Amino acid sequence: MTEKYDVIIVGAGAAGMMSAIEAGKRGRKVLLIDHAKKIGEKIRISGGGRCNFTNIHTHPSKFISNNPKFVISALSQYTQNDFIDLIKKHNIKFHEKKLGQLFCDESAQQIIDMLLLECETANVVLKKETIIEDIDKQEDKYFITISSDKYFCDSLIIATGGLSVPKIGASKFGYDIAKKFNLNIVETLPALVPLTFSEKILAMCKELTGLSVEAVVSFKKIFFEEGMLFTHRGLSGPSILQISSYWKLGDDIKINLSPKLDIVKFLSDRKNSNPKHDINAIVSEILPKRLAHIICNENNVSGNICELSNKVLNKLSNSINAWAINPTGSEGYRTAEVTLGGIDTEEISSKTMMSKKHPGLFFIGEVVDVTGHLGGYNFQWAWSSGYVAGRYA
């Protein structure tokens, strides 16, 4: 059997469903294909099951790409407010958590149901549990082979995501298609991912498992001030996940465990005002006791503060305000929230998301070299890039 569609979309995640809805609204005959039994799994598991679906502070500066300006067009064509309006239209209750992050009050499933209903309204044909065997181009048409069936279309949208969270079906399919059509790919790496550390740091983290502190984590001139979590596998939490998207293997990251306090001045003042005070007790005023105890031990400091030289206090201060550590790597795609890198934006029109080399071939969402910061930005990129492709496919 050979069947003709105007638009075929591969990948029924956030970006894929969004593009299907917009193309369908234009009266295009749309086929949406996914290899999974349950679609939208990344939506379902996000935000602890409540889906951090966008961020009110969405701005091009919140995205990483070899071409930082690439996101401007799509984000302006379909903004965070446009998606919020869609949520409101479907009476989905939501709340702002912090730093502009918006979550469903009830369940991420509401977002999936909303998108499926919009697809249905736009007459989108959805095929689940469907494995594509081949994609080919003949003249100006794209041909999809599925078992003994063939489908062809004028516009083909690739929305297959990146390599993060393979247990819910992530694959390199989108990159393979890009290579087949001779498009350049920026090296891919796990992003928004916990980092791993040497045995020494790991032993410390294990002792502090479950402890969370507000910290500034920096790499070169990039820094994030959010929660940091000690786990039995190393360091995690928002500030670590954020910096993981920028950090390069072999380099140090710096952690300020007490960003609101100049520790050198604080300890100097204490030494003058209360010289008989125990150093461990003083550090415990700034940091959680378990952490304070470990830092004092690491610096071999104990006893009254008056017994410690300024040189020793400076070293102790540095280990609190500017703790330099060298990660050994990351936990990889297994726990990464997104994929850094992807299809080179030089290959794609920022206005339409269409390949410059192959008219009618579009790439959207995580498969493209665009990575958002933590906090709903990657979903907004999916909505915006999906919307744009759907308008032009």
Side-chain angles (χ1 to χ4, degrees), residues 113-376:
D113 293 343
M114 173 190 81
L115 294 168
L116 286 171
L117 181 59
E118 288 280 331
C119 280
E120 195 181 313
T121 306
N123 298 312
V124 172
V125 177
L126 172 61
K127 278 187 176 296
K128 297 188 282 188
E129 296 182 89
T130 301
I131 305 299
I132 293 172
E133 291 170 14
D134 190 35
I135 292 180
D136 199 16
K137 186 183 182 184
Q138 294 171 26
E139 294 173 357
D140 59 348
K141 301 279 187 255
Y142 294 90
F143 286 79
I144 315 278
T145 305
I146 299 166
S147 187
S148 58
D149 297 334
K150 256 195 165 59
Y151 301 87
F152 68 101
C153 58
D154 302 315
S155 296
L156 175 64
I157 301 176
I158 305 297
T160 49
L163 300 168
S164 56
V165 206
K167 71 176 180 186
I168 59 166
S171 78
K172 62 186 181 68
F173 187 88
Y175 309 124
D176 289 342
I177 296 304
K179 284 176 189 166
K180 178 166 185 171
F181 286 95
N182 207 23
L183 303 187
N184 187 45
I185 294 170
V186 175
E187 182 193 6
T188 58
L189 291 164
L192 299 181
V193 62
L195 299 176
T196 55
F197 298 91
S198 66
E199 284 302 319
K200 185 183 175 188
I201 301 289
L202 195 56
M204 173 185 171
C205 290
K206 281 178 179 169
E207 275 189 66
L208 296 168
T209 293
L211 186 70
S212 177
V213 291
E214 284 296 314
V216 171
V217 180
S218 59
F219 174 70
K220 296 183 177 173
K221 291 180 179 176
I222 307 285
F223 66 91
F224 293 93
E225 182 170 2
E226 293 182 58
M228 185 183 82
L229 181 67
F230 292 90
T231 79
H232 65 286
R233 295 201 301 267
L235 293 174
S236 188
S239 56
I240 291 288
L241 297 182
Q242 296 277 37
I243 214 68
S244 74
S245 297
Y246 292 89
W247 169 75
K248 299 285 183 279
L249 187 63
D251 290 339
D252 285 354
I253 58 171
K254 274 195 177 166
I255 300 174
N256 185 345
L257 293 164
S258 183
K260 291 180 172 58
L261 209 55
D262 179 341
I263 304 298
V264 171
K265 185 178 184 307
F266 175 77
L267 293 180
S268 173
D269 290 349
R270 254 331 144 82
K271 191 173 179 179
N272 293 330
S273 65
N274 200 345
K276 299 283 191 210
H277 203 171
D278 179 75
I279 187 64
N280 217 312
I282 293 169
V283 177
S284 294
E285 291 174 28
I286 311 158
L287 301 173
K289 279 184 180 174
R290 281 190 292 161
L291 180 57
H293 182 65
I294 282 178
I295 286 174
C296 288
N297 280 352
E298 283 290 313
N299 285 277
N300 294 315
V301 296
S302 60
N304 295 338
I305 192 167
C306 63
E307 297 162 4
L308 303 173
S309 70
N310 287 341
K311 187 180 175 184
V312 167
L313 290 179
N314 282 348
K315 184 169 174 277
L316 177 63
S317 301
N318 256 343
S319 65
I320 297 170
N321 272 156
W323 179 29
I325 50 176
N326 194 300
T328 57
S330 80
E331 289 188 5
Y333 291 115
R334 182 179 61 82
T335 56
E337 296 204 9
V338 286
T339 306
L340 195 69
I343 293 152
D344 194 339
T345 55
E346 291 299 314
E347 301 277 13
I348 300 167
S349 158
S350 61
K351 183 188 172 188
T352 64
M353 302 305 294
M354 186 169 73
S355 162
K356 292 175 181 176
K357 286 178 188 161
H358 301 280
L361 179 61
F362 297 75
F363 292 89
I364 57 174
E366 194 183 339
V367 77
V368 178
D369 174 32
V370 171
T371 305
H373 287 182
L374 189 71

